[in-house]
Amino acid sequence: MKVIGNLDWRHPMVRLRIWVATPIQKLLAAAGRWKPARKTELECEQKDQVTAVGDRGPQMRLAYKAPRSEFIDDTNIDYTPAGIALKNGVCIARYSIRPPSTVEILKSRTVKAARTIPAGTIIEAETPYTYGDWVGDFVLALTTAKNITEPLILPKVLADKSYVIRDVEALGISYIVADEAIRIEKARIMQKRVPSYYWGEDHVAAFREKFRITPPAPIPGSILYLGRFDTHSEAAQRVYPSQEVARIVESLGGTVFDTRNASPAKFDELAPHMETIIADQGSALFGVMHSQTKNVIELTQDDWWHSANLFIANGSGVENYAVVHIFNKTEADLRARIERHLREFGVKP
């Protein structure tokens, strides 16, 4: 379990760290050492309901109560390799890729820009740790924005991930990497306008348009399993019964895909075989944006689930979505649940 980085809230050391850091950061904010987001800027409201069945019921989409404009312009912003934005030595959470740590706040006045550029764009985000975070925050901003001031400045912590440069280049956006602190004289900050990953149809449409995706009609009756197998998570480690599910899917005449080999090109190739997807919970389910999938059965740890995939699937045109908890289930239990949902969805393997 990660304690530093993408915090796994289930871990007791993470809870202790947050308990210690929270009052310290409140004092530092009161002293003007950093600028956290205001409570009113983070408040959300529930909107559209999207149906899920199985071990999770219908879910409500979250939206910011105070709608945000596409961007904010500011001057003389220092941007660090970790993606923290500062002005006059003060960390600004709403300009950064995540809230700064206590150590970063304490060291903020020692940050010195190694070079200056006249203009550029940085992106406000919530979490910068996984591929799902990258797509949910950064790619969403890049595919829906109309007013990016190039170059895009990528913090080194992101640029070191192979999929980041791949996606930015696929979108045809010029960029530079902040491998040292950079001062941006005229900075454009693309605001995070969707809390977490609560995408709608318009967001999926923008993603497909910018990446030039035309989903093909699926082969009737096709089933694809997206298995994590021995995937090492960039966030909290999760373990799934991938081998057992692979046997079940193969016995149903479906195809098994190891998501460690996932890429946009691979999902374009797999799209005709994705009428029904059975998947271990994870960002590989974003592959539905490359397909005309009708049915999804998502397998998840009982205490680790986010509705992001449900909303992205709904925006992609998925008609039926089931969630199955995996704890304490034998292979026979999993088979029974999968076959039950396939029958409910009218799938005949």
Side-chain angles (χ1 to χ4, degrees), residues 212-226:
R212 300 174 293 282
I213 298 168
T214 303
I219 298 168
S222 58
I223 300 174
L224 179 70
Y225 172 48
L226 302 175

Side-chain angles (χ1 to χ4, degrees), residues 70 79-84 93-99 121-145 148 152-159 161 163-165 167-168 171 173 189-194 196-197 199 203 206-207 210-211 286:
E70 181 180 300
Y79 198 60
T80 74
I84 302 301
R94 284 291 313 277
Y95 292 3
S96 303
I97 66 170
R98 56 169 173 77
T121 290
I122 57 179
I123 295 178
E124 175 196 2
E126 188 173 344
T127 48
Y129 306 109
T130 70
Y131 178 70
D133 297 335
W134 165 250
V135 175
D137 276 344
F138 294 85
V139 172
L140 180 60
L142 296 175
T143 54
T144 58
I148 293 175
L152 171 70
I153 294 92
L154 292 171
K156 186 177 185 300
V157 68
L158 286 183
K161 301 175 185 289
Y163 51 76
V164 169
I165 300 299
D167 289 351
V168 172
L171 291 168
I173 298 171
I189 301 94
M190 307 311 296
Q191 296 201 84
K192 180 173 173 61
R193 291 180 285 164
V194 176
S196 194
Y197 305 167
W199 288 33
H203 302 123
F207 179 94
K210 291 297 178 68
F211 281 103
F286 292 2

Side-chain angles (χ1 to χ4, degrees), residues 326-338:
I326 62 172
F327 285 177
N328 301 317
K329 286 187 173 63
T330 65
E331 185 171 335
D333 294 332
L334 291 168
R335 176 182 291 276
R337 284 295 302 275
I338 288 170

